[in-house]
Amino acid sequence: MTPAATPDTNGTATSAGSNGATDAKGASVVVNAIAVLRTFTADEPLLGVTEIANRVGMHKSSVSRILATFEQENLVERDPETKRFRLGLGLIAVAGPLLAEMEERRVAYPVLRQLAEQTGETSALMIWSGDEAMCVEQIASHHQIKHTTPLGARYRDAMSASVQVFLSTLPAERVRELLRSGTITFPGLDDAGLAAYEARLQDVVRRGWAGNYGESSMDEVGVAAPVRDHRGDVVAAVLIPAPRFRVSKEQFESLGDACVAAAAKVTTRLGGRPAS
């Protein structure tokens, strides 16, 4: 049966079914464009058309059209030597207003600077976007050899210290869903491993900070502590990533304590009350 025609605002008869199909197609184009942008990461900032197409499951010609549009708007730029693409400066104009209005980022900045000076290691502020931890501010270590967490870097590894902090605030059912679906990566997850991980998250709550001593990357350690707002909700996490060779187990505990103290300062600046 042909869909009934309905008048538009100018009185012209249009097909309701046709409009719905057009809307759906438009939404699909937007989703595909966002998927292309999300393929770029701090670890892989340069990507070719074929690489992107394989990752998003799209035809190369479609990816090329999306990239061409992004290039016109300075959302991506082409490396002159390799002809591969990287994110462009135009994204700063898009994200700038959000970052400027992000209260957690603004009040955390001086605390992060002090923390980096105190520990000699990188300090960062992480937020939770529903299924991943994302860096929104960073003060890099002054050491030549260091671990950094670039702005926009996203983490989904179950052993990542910041991911542990955020997962420890979620209902157990939601944690299991994220792990079993693979949204949060946990290689070789089984029932015993899940139970052990849930106990680990309970320890994070009791101790007040999460640790990752070379568990997600052999060369790196990380500690993270929760930041709370005036309602007592965890809205961010302070993270200290550092090279493993420079951090003994005793120093690891000290970094955890320093991270908790810094997170408490940010919490207080947000009008919250640090956990006792």
Side-chain angles (χ1 to χ4, degrees):
M1 180 180 297
T2 303
T6 58
D8 63 15
T9 54
N10 297 318
T12 305
T14 59
S15 168
S18 174
N19 283 345
T22 301
D23 290 345
K25 182 177 180 180
S28 177
V29 170
V30 173
V31 169
N32 289 340
I34 292 173
V36 168
L37 283 179
R38 285 183 175 273
T39 59
F40 295 94
T41 67
D43 292 331
E44 295 181 285
L46 278 173
L47 294 172
V49 172
T50 301
E51 292 172 292
I52 296 172
N54 290 338
R55 296 182 187 191
V56 299
M58 295 168 55
H59 195 277
K60 288 193 293 185
S61 61
S62 299
V63 172
S64 292
R65 285 194 295 271
I66 291 173
L67 289 171
T69 301
F70 284 163
E71 191 172 15
Q72 291 175 0
E73 299 298 325
N74 296 318
L75 299 181
V76 300
E77 58 186 39
R78 199 189 305 256
D79 183 83
E81 294 184 2
T82 65
K83 305 303 180 183
R84 300 166 88 194
F85 290 88
R86 62 164 60 91
L87 295 178
L89 295 178
L91 282 172
I92 296 177
V94 176
L98 170 62
L99 292 177
E101 290 300 315
M102 188 174 290
E103 186 179 12
E104 295 89 350
R105 179 175 181 264
R106 185 171 62 252
V107 303
Y109 185 80
V111 178
L112 295 179
R113 285 190 65 88
Q114 183 181 31
L115 181 62
E117 292 172 2
Q118 172 191 346
T119 63
E121 303 297 349
T122 297
S123 64
L125 185 72
M126 312 295 293
I127 63 169
W128 184 247
S129 65
D131 56 10
E132 61 186 3
M134 180 181 299
C135 178
V136 294
E137 188 57 274
Q138 176 198 237
I139 305 296
S141 166
H142 60 76
H143 290 293
Q144 184 174 4
I145 300 176
K146 58 196 169 190
H147 278 290
T148 58
T149 303
L151 294 183
R154 304 188 296 268
Y155 296 90
R156 290 186 171 184
D157 191 306
M159 293 305 172
S160 170
S162 59
V163 171
Q164 291 181 57
V165 166
F166 292 119
L167 290 184
S168 71
T169 70
L170 300 180
E173 295 78 9
R174 176 59 176 161
V175 173
R176 294 188 195 108
E177 177 187 346
L178 290 170
L179 291 171
R180 285 173 172 158
S181 66
T183 302
I184 300 297
T185 59
F186 192 137
L189 180 68
D190 55 19
D191 290 342
L194 180 59
Y197 188 73
E198 290 177 336
R200 181 177 185 142
L201 295 183
Q202 292 171 8
D203 286 339
V204 170
V205 174
R206 284 192 292 267
R207 184 170 55 177
W209 60 276
N212 170 18
Y213 198 79
E215 293 165 285
S216 58
S217 172
M218 289 195 334
D219 300 326
E220 183 177 3
V221 302
V223 295
V227 171
R228 302 177 184 273
D229 64 9
H230 65 282
R231 296 179 297 268
D233 296 331
V234 174
V235 293
V238 172
L239 170 69
I240 304 175
R244 184 176 176 180
F245 77 86
R246 201 159 53 225
V247 182
S248 66
K249 285 295 182 70
E250 293 74 18
Q251 291 169 318
F252 186 64
E253 295 289 329
S254 296
L255 283 182
D257 293 339
C259 195
V260 169
K265 290 179 182 177
V266 179
T267 293
T268 300
R269 291 169 65 91
L270 285 171
R273 180 179 298 177
S276 55

